[in-house]
Amino acid sequence: MIVARTVQEVRQWIRERRWQGCSIGLVPTMGYLHEGHLSLVRAARARGHQVVMSIFVNPLQFGPREDFDRYPRDLDRDTALAAEAGVDLLFAPPVREMYPQEPVVTVKAGALAERLCGASRPGHFDGVVTVVAKLFHITQPDEAFFGEKDFQQLRIVQRMTADLNFPVEVVGCPTVREADGLAMSSRNQYLTAAQRAQAAALPRALAHARERCERDGERDARTLIREVSEELSSAGIKIDYVSVVRDDNLEPVEQIDRPCRLMAAVWVGQTRLIDNVAIDAAAAGANCPEHRGQHPEAAVPGVPLR
Ligand code: PAF
């Protein structure tokens, strides 16, 4: 595995690989790698790409009172994990390489970024799309791989590539979870042992809501939101938002009559955690008499998270 610190090194490496007829898969990360990141590398490899991973804690996407300074960093450990997972080029630029001067021309994420996480993190998604656009220009990937845990980010990046005609396919990959269901995140390491146990209530509440929808046929979004909120509050978890949105465009829904996402952001102590689950409209109807038998998974109690 080659480790590059400069844009010039990356461009040279990409040119050589292109000359050899290789395709490029990009896995953008902020480092402190976990199994979720490594699953993106495996997805890129499975599609036959030379894999470029970026590790860059992007100051533009952190608010003034957020955790930029204490965001976990361990480049030696990440380098070993990336090499083992089969990354071909690791791009780990210092801040001055990505932003040699204060950026004046940036990308705006627009209306999709105003709700959900964007409402409590103003400017966050503008910072994300700006750095992702730069990474796309630097690495020129055929495909780029993003985790569904950051579902709003995934949809916004997909929208940016469509709106700005980036010749990049943005591939969403399933959330990777700990044994108790907690979505893997570099920020989980902020949690104390007690908070870590408490945090498991988040995926549990989402899984219950999904069951209520897909097994019991509850289609009313407000009912599911109330039930999730009650379950989180009784676990002592502070809620930022719980919302049911359309899977494709993140518009809020009242009735679950199409593919949706149940999205939540919470505070466990000082740590903000996000998670989401797909709620499938076809599965939601499976227990209604007119749909019975059409969606095999929905008939099974304890439908797994996905
Ligand atoms: O999801 C992340 O780790 C970051 O938001 C990303 C996409 C690498 C941009 O900094």
Side-chain angles (χ1 to χ4, degrees):
M1 184 181 79
I2 306 289
V3 180
R5 305 284 285 175
T6 66
V7 173
Q8 199 195 347
E9 286 169 272
V10 177
R11 288 202 197 285
Q12 177 64 28
W13 187 91
I14 298 284
R15 251 196 309 274
E16 286 163 12
R17 291 303 171 288
R18 290 280 182 212
W19 181 249
Q20 293 162 2
C22 300
S23 63
I24 306 293
L26 172 67
V27 177
T29 81
M30 296 205 300
Y32 215 73
L33 302 179
H34 51 66
E35 194 50 38
H37 300 113
L38 304 179
S39 74
L40 303 180
V41 174
R42 284 194 285 275
R45 285 183 67 80
R47 292 159 85 116
H49 298 304
Q50 286 281 298
V51 182
V52 177
M53 172 185 274
S54 60
I55 294 185
F56 180 63
V57 185
N58 171 35
L60 245 56
Q61 68 188 74
F62 289 79
R65 279 190 296 279
E66 292 187 350
D67 56 344
F68 174 72
D69 288 330
R70 71 180 192 118
Y71 195 84
R73 294 162 171 90
D74 189 341
L75 190 55
D76 290 341
R77 174 181 166 277
D78 286 350
T79 304
L81 286 172
E84 200 182 313
V87 170
D88 297 290
L89 178 83
L90 181 65
F91 178 41
V95 172
R96 68 179 176 283
E97 180 69 13
M98 290 298 279
Y99 301 113
Q101 54 193 340
E102 184 76 19
V104 171
V105 180
T106 56
V107 185
K108 297 283 170 234
L112 275 181
E114 280 161 17
R115 47 184 176 269
L116 303 168
C117 288
S120 33
R121 302 188 69 189
H124 166 68
F125 288 113
D126 295 343
V128 170
V129 285
T130 298
V131 81
V132 170
K134 284 166 73 74
L135 290 168
F136 283 1
H137 286 307
I138 295 164
T139 63
Q140 313 243 313
D142 297 277
E143 296 191 307
F145 296 80
F146 290 80
E148 285 187 353
K149 196 210 82 177
D150 297 291
F151 195 75
Q152 187 175 12
Q153 168 174 281
L154 170 65
R155 286 288 179 257
I156 290 173
V157 170
Q158 284 172 329
R159 189 59 196 258
M160 175 190 76
T161 48
D163 287 352
L164 299 183
N165 296 92
F166 279 91
V168 180
E169 185 67 33
V170 174
V171 181
C173 299
T175 302
V176 177
R177 296 178 181 280
E178 304 284 358
D180 63 359
L182 184 67
M184 288 197 184
S185 163
S186 307
R187 288 190 168 100
N188 290 350
Q189 64 97 37
Y190 295 150
L191 302 169
T192 64
Q195 289 169 340
R196 172 63 191 78
Q198 198 184 13
L202 173 57
R204 219 168 31 236
L206 298 182
H208 287 158
R210 182 162 174 255
E211 262 178 42
R212 288 274 296 118
C213 176
E214 300 191 358
R215 188 191 60 197
D216 303 345
E218 178 58 69
R219 288 164 178 247
D220 182 57
R222 264 190 300 192
T223 302
L224 293 181
I225 291 168
R226 181 176 38 75
E227 290 175 1
V228 170
S229 304
E230 282 170 5
E231 194 168 337
L232 292 173
S233 300
S234 59
I237 288 179
K238 196 173 144 216
I239 296 165
D240 180 355
Y241 66 79
V242 178
S243 188
V244 182
V245 298
R246 275 178 59 159
D247 192 282
D248 54 356
N249 63 11
L250 306 180
E251 287 291 338
V253 300
E254 288 180 6
Q255 286 294 307
I256 298 157
D257 54 4
R258 65 188 76 211
C260 291
R261 285 272 157 176
L262 172 57
M263 317 261 291
V266 300
W267 289 96
V268 177
Q270 300 298 303
T271 306
R272 189 171 181 279
L273 299 176
I274 58 173
D275 201 351
N276 68 85
V277 286
I279 300 183
D280 188 297
N287 281 346
C288 302
E290 72 272 25
H291 290 111
R292 210 185 296 282
Q294 286 181 10
H295 194 292
E297 201 187 40
V300 180
V303 183
L305 286 164
R306 61 167 181 259

